[in-house]
Amino acid sequence: MIHSRPIHRAVLAATSAGLAVALIAGCGGTTKDSAPAAPGNAPASTKAADPNATIKDGLKITFLPKEIDNPYENIVDKGGIEAVTELKGVGKEVGPSDASASSQVSYINTLIQQQQDAIVVAGNDPNAIAPALKEARAKGIAVVTYDSDAAIDARQIFVNQANSEDIGRSQVKLISSQIGGSGKIAILSATPNATNQNTWIDFMKDELKKPEYAGIELVKVAYGDDDDQKSFQETQALLQSIPDLKGIISPTTVGISAAARYLSSSPSKGKVALTGLGTPNQMRQFVKDGTVKEFALWDPSQLGYLAGYAAAALASGQISGAEGETLKAGKLGTRTIGKNGEIILGPPTNFNAANIDQYNF
């Protein structure tokens, strides 16, 4: 999100990235009432983790997506709520109707007042939400980020859907194979400050420097703000302003589906290649009608599930987010926490006409 306009509310209640990753981090061994406030809104210090600690019953864990109507993140959050329910906690999803950092900050402040045990958030801006997340940590609330990270010192764990470098470089490989290794391409991203998008795009640009991509020219990075209609309009603008465009990479589920919808009924169908990150259910019709040949994604519900277990373990003191710790993640088995508190779900899957009907998310 990776991160996308409405899916049914039933899905919202039940999901949230088959392609995704979300985790919640918590202050090891402290409670919201006992955690000392740290000066300058810095996170309160945490006790050493106790891997033998039991998961507390009744934990209150909230998932905060980039925006509440983002289908991908709804799937992620549904998976997270499933994990929290398995652990006898109370999970919920709340969030703004617009993908803005200021809106997320308002929700974080409310969750602090509600004394949640953990907050799991996909950040719209890594630095803008950091002060509010630090305040949450100072009050003993576990903080986990998923899909799109926040400033490292503002959270304890980042649940990453896949290795960021692999995601970025694989997107270039996909578009290159679809345009014959030559031509002008554009990127249709989400918001300009989205951590995950910018990281992936940096790796795409670096990959394009390799000799085998000398024939490919990146001419534009456009932003659809994870809004369906704006992404649709940005696709139209790209095709009108760059008449010899050969391909578009859209590493956001909102963007790729909107771009596919525009291309499917335009003269550019079959002439301009489109790839990126999307869910099989969003993209199935466009693969079958020939608009899109191949795209990628991970399992978003598993991303949320992993984040839910991470949040509960943090809030219970089983883990602290330190490198080398082991997280027990239910049906997903165990994961080892890496550098800077990062946990990786696993590699993405490529979807095409041959396998897309094997997936339902």
Side-chain angles (χ1 to χ4, degrees), residues 84-172:
V84 174
T85 301
E86 281 183 10
L87 296 169
K88 300 179 181 179
V90 179
K92 66 178 180 180
E93 179 193 55
V94 302
S97 59
D98 62 313
S100 73
S102 59
S103 297
Q104 283 190 314
V105 169
S106 296
Y107 277 90
I108 294 168
N109 290 336
T110 298
L111 295 173
I112 292 172
Q113 294 173 359
Q114 293 175 350
Q115 296 188 317
Q116 295 293 302
D117 292 291
I119 298 171
V120 184
V121 57
N124 279 317
D125 184 302
N127 298 313
I129 65 172
L133 293 179
K134 289 179 181 180
E135 179 65 21
R137 290 188 59 190
K139 293 186 179 299
I141 299 174
V143 175
V144 172
T145 55
Y146 71 90
D147 184 55
S148 187
D149 202 4
I152 293 174
D153 62 348
R155 51 74 174 166
Q156 289 137 295
I157 284 180
F158 170 45
V159 182
N160 199 350
Q161 45 268 58
N163 179 280
S164 295
E165 181 173 358
D166 290 345
I167 293 172
R169 296 189 189 282
S170 66
Q171 295 283 288
V172 171

Side-chain angles (χ1 to χ4, degrees), residues 36-116:
N41 283 340
S45 60
T46 60
K47 296 179 181 178
D50 177 6
N52 297 316
T54 58
I55 298 295
K56 298 175 182 177
D57 286 345
L59 289 172
K60 296 184 294 182
I61 298 177
T62 298
F63 294 80
L64 177 58
K66 292 180 179 178
E67 60 176 327
I68 198 66
D69 290 326
N70 184 314
Y72 161 79
E73 292 189 0
N74 295 155
I75 297 172
V76 176
D77 295 346
K78 177 190 173 188
I81 292 170
E82 175 191 346
V84 174
T85 301
E86 281 183 10
L87 296 169
K88 300 179 181 179
V90 179
K92 66 178 180 180
E93 179 193 55
V94 302
S97 59
D98 62 313
S100 73
S102 59
S103 297
Q104 283 190 314
V105 169
S106 296
Y107 277 90
I108 294 168
N109 290 336
T110 298
L111 295 173
I112 292 172
Q113 294 173 359
Q114 293 175 350
Q115 296 188 317
Q116 295 293 302

Side-chain angles (χ1 to χ4, degrees), residues 4-5 67 188-191 222-238 248 250 252-262:
S4 140
R5 279 275 148 188
E67 60 176 327
L188 176 61
S189 185
T191 58
Y223 299 95
D225 292 346
D226 255 356
D227 178 86
D228 177 80
Q229 188 56 34
K230 185 174 182 184
S231 297
F232 184 91
Q233 293 169 346
E234 289 292 332
T235 304
Q236 181 182 36
L238 285 171
I248 299 173
S250 187
T252 157
T253 58
V254 179
I256 192 174
S257 60
R261 194 171 76 253
Y262 180 83

Side-chain angles (χ1 to χ4, degrees), residues 239-257:
L239 295 174
Q240 290 177 346
S241 63
I242 313 169
D244 55 346
L245 189 68
K246 293 290 294 294
I248 299 173
I249 300 172
S250 187
T252 157
T253 58
V254 179
I256 192 174
S257 60

